[in-house]
Amino acid sequence: MTTTFKANTRRDLPRIAEKLRLNRDQLTDMQAVSAVLPFRVNDYVIEHLIDPDSVPDDPIFQLTFPQRGMLEADDFRRMRDLVAKGAPESEIQLAADGIRGRLNPHPAGQMELNVPRLDGETVAGIQHKYQETVLFFPTQGQTCHAYCSYCFRWAQFVGNADLKFASREAEQLVSYVRENPQVSSVLITGGDPMVMKTPVLRRYIEPLLAARLSNLRSIRIGTKALAYWPYRFTEGEDADDFLRLIGEVKAAGKHFALMAHSSHSRELEPDVAQLAVKRILDAGAVIRCQAPLIRRVNDNANVWAQLWRKQEQLGMVPYYMFVERDTGARAYFEVPLSWAYKVFTEAYNQVSGLCRTVRGPSMSASPGKVLVDGITEIGGEKVFALKFLQGRDPSWVNKLFFAKYDPKAAWLSELRPAFGGEQFFFEDAMEAALAESC
Ligand SMILES: *Cc1c(COP(=O)(O)O)cnc(C)c1O
Ligand code: SF4
């Protein structure tokens, strides 16, 4: 294993199959599925996070490789026949395109609703949904060290290698934060912003510091690099330069948080991952951890309890458990809200108060981040107690509301108000917002 980054894709499958000790049938299956659902995975993930003896049930194998159950049985058979009979790649791709068109790579409403304006113009690369926090998508950071098999952001992964573009984007971000004094936090996201070399990251972060924005209190970077490529923080001059950049953010009087996408305690076991955590913390950042609850990956209370304890031990802060959203191979990964609540509660019950900074299970839905806060009975009716952790309208936050209990419901849109109510209190406002954006 070298620490040179290599992204393996579909054409590397024979080599991967050898490493993971897959048999011929398993290899053909993967060639068929991955023609439709592309994957990208590096050698570190294959060699240090996946246990070949547990494939295909291995959680990190499920997290990073497309699985046959993600396709409809007919689609899978058609693709598999093509691959097995050695059909030309053009024919395979044509069939794959047809199937891909029927999946849902773009979750509804997000893009149209949250694009902000600056001097009357819409600003690309910024999403502003919750009062205090602006999401920023640098063009250079729209890919990942490996792809998660439930995440269909790859549908929007389009790199732009032009660095002039970066400066222009950074300028707009600064103007936007300056003109919106209610914004206190910039969250740089992607893809994975940590695919960017530090000098490129600096092009985005330094202007934010130089502008001395008194309303800006924190800068965060959302990343899966701690799990998928910890060398980003440990190897060479570029890693050291990133740690210095953390120091510069701190010296400018801002909080710096790495928002680590942390799905399974396995990811935090390798020495290099622990070293990365230590270096980031020593540089003055806080690491807050969040991940969705995914069937076959981490749909088990003990897995979460172990994960939060590991985070506690390493000095990381458990932050959110998300419910998987409506995208891509949802049926394969979906966990009903009732089950998510049970997993969360049983894990929460067995950890120390230091881990109970975590909130969840939470749905990032169109009106806001909605917490499943309880399942209870009121006046003889079984209900979900729900609460906004974040709201498109800040006055919704921390307000309790109730939905009829439904053991199968897996998303806010599948819930109906309890006690015979016609609609939830936020629905009129949401309809108005949607109408306005058309
Ligand atoms: C989750 C999220 C944020 C950040 O929310 P916090 O609760 O501050 O972590 C910001 N914008 C959007 C659109 C989000 O989904
Ligand atoms: S690292 Fe994040 S953005 Fe990249 S594939 Fe995984 S969930 Fe999606």
Side-chain angles (χ1 to χ4, degrees):
M1 168 91 209
T2 74
T3 53
T4 312
F5 184 82
K6 178 180 186 314
N8 300 283
T9 56
R10 184 162 173 267
R11 47 170 201 283
D12 304 299
L13 270 174
R15 200 176 70 90
I16 294 172
E18 223 168 277
K19 286 195 181 178
L20 294 179
R21 304 202 288 271
L22 303 181
N23 62 34
R24 243 199 130 67
D25 267 353
Q26 287 175 309
L27 171 60
T28 311
D29 282 4
M30 294 205 19
Q31 284 170 324
V33 180
S34 63
V36 181
L37 305 168
F39 72 86
R40 173 181 159 97
V41 60
N42 64 58
D43 285 343
Y44 171 80
V45 174
I46 296 173
E47 290 169 18
H48 292 269
L49 300 185
I50 297 176
D51 170 14
D53 292 332
S54 334
V55 169
D57 297 330
D58 181 89
I60 309 297
F61 181 75
Q62 291 283 332
L63 179 63
T64 50
F65 284 95
Q67 309 292 331
R68 63 179 283 179
M70 295 178 185
L71 297 183
E72 303 276 341
D74 284 353
D75 290 337
F76 173 73
R77 252 191 313 273
R78 189 147 43 93
M79 293 308 298
R80 198 182 192 289
D81 289 347
L82 285 173
V83 170
K85 77 171 193 213
E89 197 52 30
S90 57
E91 193 180 338
I92 292 176
Q93 283 309 321
L94 195 67
D97 285 346
I99 297 170
R100 219 179 288 135
R102 283 184 271 119
L103 298 169
N104 169 28
H106 299 290
Q110 285 301 321
M111 283 314 192
E112 305 81 60
L113 271 179
N114 307 314
V115 179
R117 289 173 171 274
L118 193 63
D119 305 326
E121 307 267 312
T122 58
V123 192
I126 297 181
Q127 258 187 55
H128 190 191
K129 179 169 177 180
Y130 307 133
Q131 186 167 255
E132 296 80 11
T133 304
V134 156
L135 294 190
F136 178 57
F137 299 78
T139 316
Q140 309 269 325
Q142 299 306 309
T143 188
C144 302
H145 291 100
Y147 291 167
C148 304
S149 46
Y150 61 81
C151 171
F152 284 69
R153 288 200 197 179
W154 50 259
Q156 70 198 35
F157 288 161
V158 281
N160 182 326
D162 188 351
L163 272 181
K164 276 187 284 194
F165 208 81
S167 311
R168 163 113 187 94
E169 286 179 319
E171 246 171 64
Q172 286 194 322
L173 177 64
V174 168
S175 306
Y176 189 80
V177 175
R178 183 183 289 123
E179 281 163 37
N180 289 273
Q182 76 279 24
V183 171
S184 64
S185 191
V186 167
L187 170 47
I188 304 174
T189 182
D192 190 334
M194 294 311 301
V195 300
M196 294 188 278
K197 293 275 183 241
T198 307
V200 183
L201 262 176
R202 283 182 175 282
R203 288 197 182 222
Y204 293 109
I205 292 178
E206 283 173 353
L208 278 172
L209 304 181
R212 297 174 178 275
L213 303 159
S214 56
N215 52 318
L216 182 68
R217 296 174 193 282
S218 62
I219 296 176
R220 328 183 210 177
I221 294 183
T223 183
K224 183 81 182 169
L226 264 180
Y228 282 167
W229 191 247
Y231 302 108
R232 177 65 185 83
F233 308 101
T234 63
E235 287 286 316
E237 168 53 23
D238 201 57
D240 295 349
D241 194 29
F242 177 68
L243 301 178
R244 282 195 297 272
L245 180 57
I246 293 176
E248 288 160 37
V249 174
K250 302 283 298 177
K254 317 290 182 195
H255 173 61
F256 185 90
L258 203 75
M259 309 302 289
H261 177 180
S262 179
S263 310
H264 198 284
S265 60
R266 170 96 51 88
E267 299 166 343
L268 293 171
E269 277 162 21
D271 290 342
V272 61
Q274 299 193 5
L275 176 62
V277 169
K278 179 175 183 321
R279 296 189 90 206
I280 294 161
L281 297 180
D282 287 350
V286 170
I287 305 175
R288 297 183 208 280
C289 305
Q290 51 191 26
L293 172 58
I294 303 288
R295 201 159 123 224
R296 300 175 165 93
V297 174
N298 56 19
D299 56 336
N300 173 303
N302 293 334
V303 167
W304 282 90
Q306 203 175 345
L307 173 64
W308 293 336
R309 284 193 209 107
K310 192 83 209 166
Q311 291 165 354
E312 171 192 5
Q313 185 181 357
L314 297 176
M316 306 159 90
V317 182
Y319 190 63
Y320 275 135
M321 175 203 274
F322 293 121
V323 179
E324 172 54 359
R325 73 191 333 185
D326 180 14
T327 170
R330 177 175 176 180
Y332 186 81
F333 288 121
E334 182 170 277
V335 176
L337 299 174
S338 55
W339 184 4
Y341 178 72
K342 186 169 147 64
V343 169
F344 181 89
T345 304
E346 288 177 3
Y348 197 79
N349 282 349
Q350 46 175 311
V351 294
S352 94
L354 289 186
C355 296
R356 293 188 186 154
T357 45
V358 69
R359 290 157 303 159
S362 167
M363 295 172 267
S364 293
S366 298
K369 279 185 168 62
V370 176
L371 174 74
V372 180
D373 207 18
I375 296 174
T376 187
E377 219 178 270
I378 299 178
E381 185 174 335
K382 194 168 182 184
V383 296
F384 284 115
L386 305 166
K387 186 159 116 173
F388 279 98
L389 296 175
Q390 288 286 7
R392 157 178 300 290
D393 178 336
S395 72
W396 300 347
V397 174
N398 215 27
K399 197 155 147 173
L400 214 51
F401 63 106
F402 298 91
K404 235 192 239 130
Y405 180 74
D406 172 352
K408 293 214 191 75
W411 199 248
L412 183 63
S413 55
E414 294 164 24
L415 295 176
R416 295 316 312 149
F419 319 125
E422 290 273 300
Q423 51 174 15
F424 292 119
F425 73 89
F426 51 85
E427 285 186 65
D428 280 343
M430 281 307 295
E431 266 163 41
L434 272 169
E436 208 175 289
S437 77
C438 289

